[in-house]
Amino acid sequence: GRIVGHYGGWPLRALIGGREATIVSVGDVATEPSIRHLGGRRNAFRSMADALFEVLRERGVPFVFGFPNARALAAGARLLGYRAEFPVRTVEFDLPAPGSRAGVGSEWADVSYDALWERSRAALPAGLLRDRRRVNWRYHARPDRWYRFVTVKGDDGDAACGVLSVRGEEALVQAQRRPGVDA
């Protein structure tokens, strides 16, 4: 008679084998501590996941993905068959000096992002569809982070775009580069 957990995510459009499909990024998974021990392998976590996966199968979603922390990955592997498909790596670099071909833009991706995406997409056999509308939704109005778009200009428009996730004096970047272009 009360809510004791949540297992959910958000749908994303993706390019898989040259075709568009909906996949789901799983996140925001939680159970109330007082019920975690109940049910063994048929606990609330497993029941919530099974319910979500059934709905997604009915809707033709081919797979879900996420980036769980080590503890969540171990629990998901044991209870649901989670598996790491590839390592996540960190790459650190200094941003180019002001006045170079790179510049820190605004909090919003502008129309030039769509042109970069369309040129990049043609070379991808698979990947998330990342038009301007989607990236602006993803990187705006987060309560504990500040995001800035960084672009590198090429001779025929943007050659690369990244998103800085800023916290204090450090920033993480998620980048997209046109294939075949050094940026």
Side-chain angles (χ1 to χ4, degrees), residues 69-135:
N69 60 48
R71 187 174 141 264
L73 179 58
R78 187 177 74 253
L79 296 169
L80 302 175
Y82 286 9
R83 63 182 186 270
E85 292 293 325
F86 54 85
V88 175
R89 63 189 177 100
T90 300
V91 178
E92 294 184 15
F93 60 93
D94 292 325
L95 289 176
S100 68
R101 291 173 53 168
V104 176
S106 70
E107 294 180 32
W108 299 93
D110 63 21
V111 69
S112 67
Y113 184 88
D114 285 332
L116 170 62
W117 168 247
E118 286 304 318
R119 291 190 307 266
S120 302
R121 176 182 170 167
L124 296 174
L128 294 178
L129 300 180
R130 295 187 175 266
D131 64 9
R132 173 174 39 121
R133 191 173 55 176
R134 195 244 181 236
V135 299

Side-chain angles (χ1 to χ4, degrees), residues 7-9 24-27 29 45-65 76 79-82:
Y7 190 101
V24 171
S25 175
V26 173
V29 176
F45 174 75
R46 175 72 184 257
S47 297
M48 292 184 301
D50 287 348
L52 176 66
F53 296 159
E54 180 60 31
V55 167
L56 297 178
R57 268 192 294 279
E58 290 171 2
R59 294 182 181 174
V61 174
F63 65 89
V64 301
F65 73 97
L79 296 169
L80 302 175
Y82 286 9

Side-chain angles (χ1 to χ4, degrees), residues 101 119 152-160 178 181-183:
R101 291 173 53 168
R119 291 190 307 266
V152 176
K153 302 295 180 193
D155 295 334
D156 60 347
D158 291 349
R178 268 194 357 232
V181 174
D182 279 335

